[in-house]
Amino acid sequence: MNHHMPPTPAAAALHSAKTPKDREGFRQAMSWLHTWAGLVLGWLLFAIFLTGTLSFFKNEFNLWMRPETHGLPAADAHVAPKALAALLRQVPDVTQWIMRMPDERDPAVTLLWRDTGNGRFETLRMNPQTGDAITTRDTMGGDFFYRFHFELRTAQKGRWTLQGRWVVGAATLMMFIALLTGIVTHRRFFKDFFTFRPNKGGQRAWLDAHNVSGVLVLPFYLMITFSGLMIFHTLYMPSGIATAYRGDKGIDSNAYFADLQGEKPERRVRRSPGDKVDPLPPIALEPIVDAASARWHGGHIGALQARRDAEGRVVVEVTRHEGDRLQYRPPRLLFDGITGQWLEQADPTSPAVTTYGVLYGLHLARFAGPGMRWALFGFGLLGSLMIATGMVLWTVKRSARQQTQSQRKGTATTAPRAPFGERLVGAINIATLGGLPLACGVYLASNRLLPIATTHRADTELAWFFSAWGLALLWGLWCAVVRPQRGGWSVPMAAGALVWTTLPVLNALTTQAHLGVTLPTGEWMWAGMDLSFLATGALMGWLAWRLRPGRVPHGRKMAPTGAQHAPAPTHAQEHAHPHHGGHHGDHAGNAAMAPSKAMSGG
């Protein structure tokens, strides 16, 4: 056989035609999956990502929304026994309590307690010096953003939280798929890292923004989505527990959680609703705190807890501060509540549990100091931007395609009306991308505007949030579906700018924790919130200005009505990207759906 014999023309044609086609077909399939995985739940993903990003500063939001805690003194070494004594004066029959120690992000002592076996925990905040109860306004604070991002919480007392976690899990899975397929779709991965051409205009500018925001911190997106799925693995994938922890009496999930948390299964409490539990006896906390500090060589104590174990013995659990290590679920020391004798340390060290704890810790970022927290906050904003630009790009692409088809048919002189589905997507884009930041600002404003004595005040704050978001949706439907107009984007952005910039003013009028006090005294945690609100308002104001109706981009003259449409794309432009090919165009029929010209300057 002659190995140098040239292939037959038929074989060469088959080889050259089949392999690239197959490769392109796979990439196009991934592009299709990337588009629709992002579109179907993109709005929900944006809401999850944005509120999750705000949750990096959950404690700071909690503080700002409870201004009664401003000016608290620093805690001393006797804070724990003083807080316990204050609790017992108010609730002598307490059966279980959890004490969160004050730190640099929360100066108050927070006590969760209950006087029944399985009832809800009540919350009590105390002055760290005197042990006096601090009466704060009824609010969910930053916990609302935190709870919403993983269970779509809509009320202070959770409703439909389990269902919400399933929905968020499905959305997170879709995002993970969109990230992986986006990697396959991109042929110029590293070039996109450095490519952003806002002056190119329209679809190209939005595509660049989507690529840059997607590529820049891609490892963060992969980590945050994968770890988000892992956190609720017992909910989404219970089969492993059902297989490995099946006993004579059925599935023992309690034993699984004991292993996960490094506890002995026989000591975990298994109570039924209505079981009576004896009140806790007096506990000498100070020797226990001293012993824990000595064992951790001065490590910070994050929380204390007292309860009865499965044998009825009083146990005090000392938890190390979460900021002391990256892995979630800090180590815990267990002491006998009566004798003060050390019993054991709960801290699982198996590779699987450690890996799970590290992923969990990376997701929550409670180990992070201020600098790292701001960096993660920036990464989260980039993720929100990536989702937002992807949603807008979908409408811009179809707008350009429709414009091109109209030009080829010779009907471009009359503004075509976008199909209902595209207009609906544009309306929800306005409501989500413009309405959600507005709703967040309204939620914060309600904290200062609602009377303190309002019944169900926390739920009323949430009602303000969802009402503002709902109004933004109605506005989006009016501007994009009923009567398309360019003012659809600018109005919610301008309203958001007004609300966010007004927040420090409302703060100054209603509290003593305003910039006039916090800046001179160097209270940067309080001042930083007000300054961040001003920055957010300025950003939304700039966006509203860029998106205002009738704005003529710099360097261009207003074109006659019939000449506003972009020229027909060349073949190369149409295939510049396998997924987002085409050329930028705009017309009155869908101008409200995509802020393409105004934002990009093209």
Side-chain angles (χ1 to χ4, degrees):
M1 182 177 177
N2 185 0
H3 293 284
H4 300 289
M5 181 179 292
T8 63
L14 180 63
H15 177 76
S16 61
K18 187 176 181 181
T19 303
K21 183 178 178 181
D22 287 347
R23 192 182 302 123
E24 192 63 24
F26 175 72
R27 184 176 288 116
Q28 287 181 345
M30 292 298 99
S31 174
W32 180 90
L33 187 57
H34 177 77
T35 299
W36 290 101
L39 178 67
V40 170
L41 292 171
W43 302 293
L44 180 59
L45 282 172
F46 179 81
I48 293 170
F49 229 86
L50 184 63
T51 52
T53 300
L54 295 176
S55 299
F56 284 129
F57 289 98
K58 180 187 73 169
N59 288 14
E60 286 73 13
F61 277 109
N62 281 337
L63 210 60
W64 190 87
M65 296 181 76
R66 296 186 179 92
E68 297 82 4
T69 58
H70 176 254
L72 287 178
D76 59 23
H78 310 291
V79 58
K82 283 193 287 189
L84 178 58
L87 171 68
L88 294 177
R89 285 196 296 270
Q90 296 197 29
V91 193
D93 295 333
V94 64
T95 61
Q96 183 179 357
W97 52 259
I98 302 171
M99 183 188 301
R100 294 175 185 160
M101 305 294 280
D103 59 18
E104 65 274 11
R105 299 180 66 191
D106 188 354
V109 179
T110 303
L111 265 162
L112 308 175
W113 59 270
R114 61 185 178 188
D115 54 4
T116 58
N118 287 317
R120 279 184 179 273
F121 280 98
E122 302 294 333
T123 303
L124 187 63
R125 296 180 189 279
M126 293 180 174
N127 185 309
Q129 280 283 353
T130 65
D132 295 336
I134 305 169
T135 303
T136 61
R137 59 192 65 196
D138 184 18
T139 178
M140 279 195 73
D143 288 323
F144 167 63
F145 298 130
Y146 174 67
R147 291 280 171 185
F148 184 87
H149 103 276
F150 72 85
E151 63 185 16
L152 306 180
R153 180 73 72 92
T154 57
Q156 187 178 32
K157 304 293 184 184
R159 291 177 298 199
W160 309 101
T161 54
L162 191 61
Q163 292 80 359
R165 293 181 185 191
W166 272 105
V167 173
V168 171
T172 307
L173 181 61
M174 295 295 275
M175 177 155 182
F176 197 59
I177 293 172
L179 287 172
L180 296 179
T181 53
I183 294 172
V184 175
T185 302
H186 277 70
R187 287 180 289 192
R188 304 175 305 169
F189 205 81
F190 291 100
K191 187 175 181 181
D192 285 344
F193 187 87
F194 300 102
T195 305
F196 181 45
R197 296 158 290 183
N199 293 328
K200 283 284 185 180
Q203 184 174 331
R204 174 51 60 190
W206 283 107
L207 179 58
D208 283 349
H210 183 63
N211 288 340
V212 168
S213 58
V215 172
L216 200 57
V217 287
L218 180 62
F220 171 78
Y221 305 147
L222 292 172
M223 178 277 293
I224 209 75
T225 50
F226 182 72
S227 58
L229 289 170
M230 282 297 297
I231 288 172
F232 294 108
H233 67 282
T234 56
L235 177 65
Y236 306 141
M237 299 179 292
S239 300
I241 300 174
T243 303
Y245 288 84
R246 184 179 295 278
D248 297 336
K249 297 180 180 179
I251 300 169
D252 190 2
S253 58
N254 219 13
Y256 171 76
F257 287 110
D259 286 346
L260 191 65
Q261 299 174 17
E263 299 174 351
K264 295 179 178 177
E266 63 273 16
R267 289 191 178 175
R268 287 182 69 89
V269 178
R270 303 165 190 252
R271 294 196 184 102
S272 302
D275 283 357
K276 184 173 177 55
V277 180
D278 293 332
L280 293 171
I283 298 173
L285 271 186
E286 199 145 359
I288 292 176
V289 171
D290 292 341
S293 295
R295 284 186 175 274
W296 284 331
H297 307 290
H300 296 95
I301 294 176
L304 301 165
Q305 179 179 180
R307 64 176 189 274
R308 290 185 182 276
D309 65 9
E311 299 170 351
R313 180 171 52 177
V314 178
V315 174
V316 175
E317 182 179 292
V318 184
T319 304
R320 193 158 180 171
H321 195 276
E322 292 179 320
D324 278 4
R325 76 175 185 185
L326 186 152
Q327 181 183 343
Y328 177 66
R329 200 169 296 285
R332 291 159 291 148
L333 294 172
L334 273 65
F335 294 85
D336 187 301
I338 304 299
T339 65
Q341 181 184 3
W342 176 70
L343 300 174
E344 63 187 28
Q345 173 168 300
D347 187 20
T349 55
S350 71
V353 176
T354 302
T355 304
Y356 171 75
V358 169
L359 284 171
Y360 206 151
L362 284 171
H363 190 97
L364 296 178
R366 290 178 182 168
F367 64 91
M372 176 63 76
R373 205 173 304 121
W374 274 110
L376 293 170
F377 182 80
F379 294 167
L381 287 184
L382 274 175
S384 304
L385 179 66
M386 174 189 68
I387 298 169
T389 51
M391 301 304 298
V392 173
L393 187 59
W394 190 89
T395 58
V396 172
K397 175 185 175 185
R398 275 145 187 81
S399 170
R401 181 182 299 170
Q402 188 183 15
Q403 179 65 21
T404 301
Q405 291 172 352
S406 299
Q407 289 174 334
R408 286 174 177 169
K409 293 177 182 177
T411 58
T413 53
T414 58
R417 188 179 178 86
F420 174 77
E422 292 180 27
R423 284 182 282 138
L424 183 62
V425 169
I428 303 177
N429 278 350
I430 293 172
T432 306
L433 310 184
L436 181 57
L438 166 65
C440 290
V442 169
Y443 170 64
L444 296 171
S446 70
N447 182 264
R448 292 296 188 265
L449 294 175
L450 283 171
I452 300 297
T454 301
T455 307
H456 304 300
R457 193 176 187 280
D459 285 332
T460 307
E461 287 182 358
L462 299 186
W464 281 46
F465 171 87
F466 288 108
S467 296
W469 202 359
L471 287 175
L473 176 60
L474 292 177
W475 173 256
L477 290 171
W478 174 257
C479 295
V481 177
V482 181
R483 296 191 63 180
Q485 53 185 285
R486 292 197 66 90
W489 283 92
S490 60
V491 170
M493 290 294 181
L498 178 64
V499 172
W500 281 94
T501 51
T502 305
L503 286 174
V505 179
L506 292 176
N507 192 32
L509 293 175
T510 56
T511 76
Q512 295 299 317
H514 53 80
L515 286 173
V517 173
T518 56
L519 275 180
T521 54
E523 298 175 272
W524 292 109
M525 190 179 300
W526 291 89
M529 295 300 289
D530 280 337
L531 295 174
S532 300
F533 297 160
L534 286 174
T536 305
L539 175 63
M540 294 194 71
W542 176 79
L543 290 172
W545 178 257
R546 297 278 296 183
L547 296 169
R548 70 187 187 278
R551 172 180 175 269
V552 180
H554 180 69
R556 291 196 177 188
K557 296 180 179 180
M558 179 70 79
T561 304
Q564 287 183 6
H565 306 289
T570 64
H571 180 78
Q573 285 171 322
E574 281 189 319
H575 296 82
H577 191 280
H579 161 49
H580 303 298
H583 191 79
H584 160 245
D586 195 5
H587 51 80
N590 52 24
M593 298 190 305
S596 53
K597 271 191 174 181
M599 286 295 293
S600 62

